[in-house]
DNA sequence: AAACAAGTTTACGTTAACGTAAAGATGTCT
DNA sequence: AGACATCTTTACGTTAACGTAAACTTGTTT
């Protein structure tokens, strides 16, 4: 008996609504078991949800994420053609990730220099203020 | 006279539609000059467009991008409060970028191991095939 | 002048990813 | 039993980011 989860447990853990989780199932990203009509999520399902959210944070659409899941599943009993297709998709994803890494690096540099500029501007403001105070004290 | 660009030049260079560029202007991400009713883009505008697209690739909404632009503009004649606000926003963005870096690293690792599994599966397929051929040759 | 290219405004249409509300089933506590 | 809490399905509403089409202006080529 490995651990299972209710929909609201997962919703709380990953900070998403139950509506979203059901929607992901509707989009065939999840396939939880049922006890009666109630959904029961295995730790496998939990992993899939985690991967889904991670993919979303990287800007993937639900359709793209689903495609990756499907390809991955097909890999096990995969024909040669499907394996090559999978490798192709993997290559595309890795290229996109590298572009994203570059983007992030650029933006990080920009934010860093922006922060420096801000701090300098603050220093100048403080300097002006102390100048004024000194002028008043010695006036 | 520094260089200027037409809308379709920029559209071609960055591979977006003119519709999108006009939409970004509508959302106040761009403020091109006009000659008559025709838009004329400066190299400043070009930079803004580039930053906009980069932000989009990182999953920012147009509203978020606009907010960053506005804060950045306000930094020049910024009051102390606005400077602190800017620093706060910069901090948020940098934190988000770090999370994204982690996500990317995780996914890269997963893709890498997926690729390895694919290649191994292919090797096994090839191995089986050469086995069969040898069996036929020696049968 | 006529036609063509490139630009414009206006406005309705579309898709993804949920939000929100209604109405009912199921199990649990008092 | 009754009143909760949690779950369910169904279905219409919403927002962002454009697509697409129509009708018009402006400059350029034939």
């Amino acid at each position: 008996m490995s651990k299972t989860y209710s929909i609201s447990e997962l919703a709380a853990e990953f900070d998403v609504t139950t509506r979203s989780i059901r929607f992901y199932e509707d989009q065939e990203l999840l396939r939880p078991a049922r006890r009666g009509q109630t959904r029961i999520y295995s730790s496998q399902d939990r992993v899939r949800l985690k991967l889904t959210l991670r993919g979303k944070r990287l800007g993937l659409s639900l359709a793209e994420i689903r495609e990756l899941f499907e390809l991955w599943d097909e890999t096990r009993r995969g024909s040669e053609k499907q394996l090559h297709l999978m490798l192709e998709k993997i290559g595309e994803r890795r290229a996109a990730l590298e572009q994203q890494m570059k983007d992030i690096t650029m933006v990080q540099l920009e934010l860093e220099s922006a922060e420096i500029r801000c701090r300098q501007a603050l220093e100048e403001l403080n300097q002006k203020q102390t100048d004024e105070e000194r002028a008043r004290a010695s006036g």
Side-chain angles (χ1 to χ4, degrees), chain A residues 44-103:
Chain A
Q44 284 252 14
D45 294 321
R46 205 187 81 118
V47 169
R48 281 229 164 178
L49 179 55
K50 188 191 286 193
L51 290 175
T52 298
L53 297 176
R54 189 178 287 156
K56 284 206 62 181
R57 284 199 299 269
L58 296 181
L60 299 200
S61 71
L62 298 183
E64 289 171 318
I65 295 170
R66 175 190 163 184
E67 191 187 17
L68 286 174
F69 283 168
E70 282 178 355
L71 281 172
W72 181 244
D73 289 346
E74 283 168 6
T75 294
R76 305 183 183 274
R77 56 190 161 67
S79 70
E80 186 160 351
K81 205 156 61 176
Q82 276 176 348
L83 286 171
H84 278 295
L85 192 67
M86 181 67 182
L87 283 175
E88 198 179 316
K89 291 290 171 187
I90 290 177
E92 287 174 18
R93 274 290 127 227
R94 295 184 86 173
L97 287 182
E98 287 200 22
Q99 174 61 48
Q100 244 177 320
M101 277 288 212
K102 286 181 194 169
D103 285 337

Side-chain angles (χ1 to χ4, degrees), chain A residues 2-68:
Chain A
S2 57
K3 183 158 195 200
T4 64
Y5 308 83
S6 76
I7 191 169
S8 48
E9 277 175 340
L10 289 185
E13 176 176 358
F14 293 110
D15 194 31
V16 292
T17 63
T18 60
R19 174 69 175 94
S20 296
I21 295 180
R22 293 197 192 96
F23 184 71
Y24 298 157
E25 178 178 351
D26 197 58
Q27 302 300 302
E28 302 184 70
L29 294 172
L30 300 172
R31 296 186 193 281
R34 299 262 179 156
R35 195 181 58 198
Q37 69 173 357
T38 302
R39 278 165 253 251
I40 300 180
Y41 297 86
S42 68
S43 42
Q44 284 252 14
D45 294 321
R46 205 187 81 118
V47 169
R48 281 229 164 178
L49 179 55
K50 188 191 286 193
L51 290 175
T52 298
L53 297 176
R54 189 178 287 156
K56 284 206 62 181
R57 284 199 299 269
L58 296 181
L60 299 200
S61 71
L62 298 183
E64 289 171 318
I65 295 170
R66 175 190 163 184
E67 191 187 17
L68 286 174

